[in-house]
Amino acid sequence: MEKRDIASYSLDELKEQIKELGLPQFRATQIYDWIHKKGAISFYEMTNIGKQLQDKLNDNFVIFSCSIEKKLVSRYDNTVKYLFKLPDDEYLECVVMDYKYGLTICVSTQVGCKMGCSFCASGIGGFKRQLSPSEILGQIYAAQRDLGIRISRIVLMGMGEPLDNYDNVIKFLKLVSDENGLNIGMRHISLSTSGIVPRIYDLLDLNLQLTLSVSLHAPNNEIRSKIMPVNNKWDVDELLKACKNYADKTSRRISFEYAMIKGVNDTPECARELSKKLKGFLCHVNLIPANEVPEKGHERSDDNNINAFKEILEKNGLTVTIRRTLGSDINASCGQLRREKLSETRGERSEN
Ligand code: SAH
Ligand code: SF4
């Protein structure tokens, strides 16, 4: 029988499992505490449960843990990037950033991505599979363990589209915010989506105090459909309507992500059109100088254009930031390390 993924269970689910094994309930609380508070990756670290139970758990369950394939530390700031290897030989990435207000981790939610955005490295090699709740959590536990630190903020902005792995992501959010676990408040978590509109409404119904980031990247359908195929399914107006509902219901400011791509979406006309679209919106615009991904053939906008774009938005009353590029020497943007790994592996294969 395949061993069950114990770190994906909520405390209540774990209690059920423990009951089925004929064990008292307090054991579930102890085990949950070891996994989610103390970061244990083996039942044999659980010193207060006895050898017999350790063996029994080990026969029935597995504690997922990420194994570090590669770790890069930026020379410029304290950014650390990990490439993790999964048991099925897939790779995933996460980045730990040292922001002024606490250590932030950027986690992946899928291996690969189905959404096919033209500028993004995550979809190179296609979509492989969903990550389980424990595989999303495991990135945080592995980084904490390796660095001997405590993470205080989480952004779901690594590889993959979180709302395309909705159930596992919601489960992850519940586990990571659980007071019996890491206990990171929803206000310290941001979820970024390319705009799967029905799932934004589902999220809204849950009324979590989560920050929603939306990858807008264009002021109109013509440009957005060219760079983000998802726009053919749910267009800019439908997306903005869902965002408006989200902001109204949660009173949380939406963060719009806008990658500045030279000659594609960075003109003053685009800035004026975007200002009109977002007028009166409870939001924040985050301009991201596009990371150049060799296979994708797009260029980063010039600083002058980025600054001019920002100025136009601000003149129209919008709050705007230009995202700092952290860890620029270690390919710290999503999907890039895995992209390198994949091409390395392809290279090895073609030499054989
Ligand atoms: N799939 C989700 C979350 C992961 S991507 C989403 O698309 O929102 C995290 C952010 O990085 C998104 O805003 C995404 O559009 C942006 N991004 C992806 N590739 C980029 C690149 N080459 N340059 C700048 N931003 C990029
Ligand atoms: Fe997927 Fe987001 Fe990259 Fe688009 S930007 S391909 S949705 S990870």
Side-chain angles (χ1 to χ4, degrees), residues 225-290:
S225 293
K226 271 190 203 142
I227 57 177
M228 300 183 73
V230 66
N231 197 67
N232 294 309
K233 218 159 180 187
W234 300 285
D235 71 10
V236 172
D237 287 342
E238 280 175 278
L239 175 59
L240 291 180
K241 190 172 157 207
C243 294
K244 186 109 186 52
N245 276 299
Y246 190 92
D248 287 348
K249 167 107 185 237
T250 60
S251 306
R252 305 279 293 157
R253 194 178 282 271
I254 303 267
S255 178
F256 288 110
E257 308 293 307
Y258 198 103
M260 298 291 292
I261 311 171
K262 192 176 197 163
V264 174
N265 62 359
D266 63 346
T267 61
E269 295 77 63
C270 285
R272 282 190 283 274
E273 200 177 347
L274 185 64
S275 306
K276 251 193 216 151
K277 277 263 148 76
L278 299 183
K279 207 175 168 73
F281 216 116
L282 180 65
C283 72
H284 175 102
V285 181
N286 197 5
L287 300 176
I288 318 167

Side-chain angles (χ1 to χ4, degrees), residues 109-110 113-120 156-158 160-165 191-200 212-218 224-225 227-236 238-240 242-243 255-257:
T109 53
Q110 298 180 316
C113 184
K114 294 178 202 162
M115 309 309 289
C117 303
S118 70
F119 45 83
C120 177
L156 280 76
M157 288 193 184
E161 166 51 56
L163 296 187
D164 184 44
N165 186 13
L191 181 150
S192 178
T193 179
S194 59
I196 301 190
V197 167
R199 296 286 90 77
I200 296 179
L212 187 65
S213 285
V214 173
S215 298
L216 191 57
H217 303 320
R224 195 164 192 269
S225 293
I227 57 177
M228 300 183 73
V230 66
N231 197 67
N232 294 309
K233 218 159 180 187
W234 300 285
D235 71 10
V236 172
E238 280 175 278
L239 175 59
L240 291 180
C243 294
S255 178
F256 288 110
E257 308 293 307

Side-chain angles (χ1 to χ4, degrees), residues 61-80:
F61 301 101
V62 59
I63 307 176
F64 170 76
S65 69
C66 287
S67 82
I68 301 173
E69 174 78 11
K70 202 171 192 176
K71 174 184 175 184
L72 298 173
V73 184
S74 171
R75 273 174 284 129
Y76 306 140
D77 45 52
N78 290 330
T79 305
V80 182

Side-chain angles (χ1 to χ4, degrees), residues 196-215:
I196 301 190
V197 167
R199 296 286 90 77
I200 296 179
Y201 285 106
D202 289 342
L203 200 59
L204 182 158
D205 286 338
L206 297 179
N207 203 7
L208 307 173
Q209 285 297 302
L210 185 77
T211 299
L212 187 65
S213 285
V214 173
S215 298

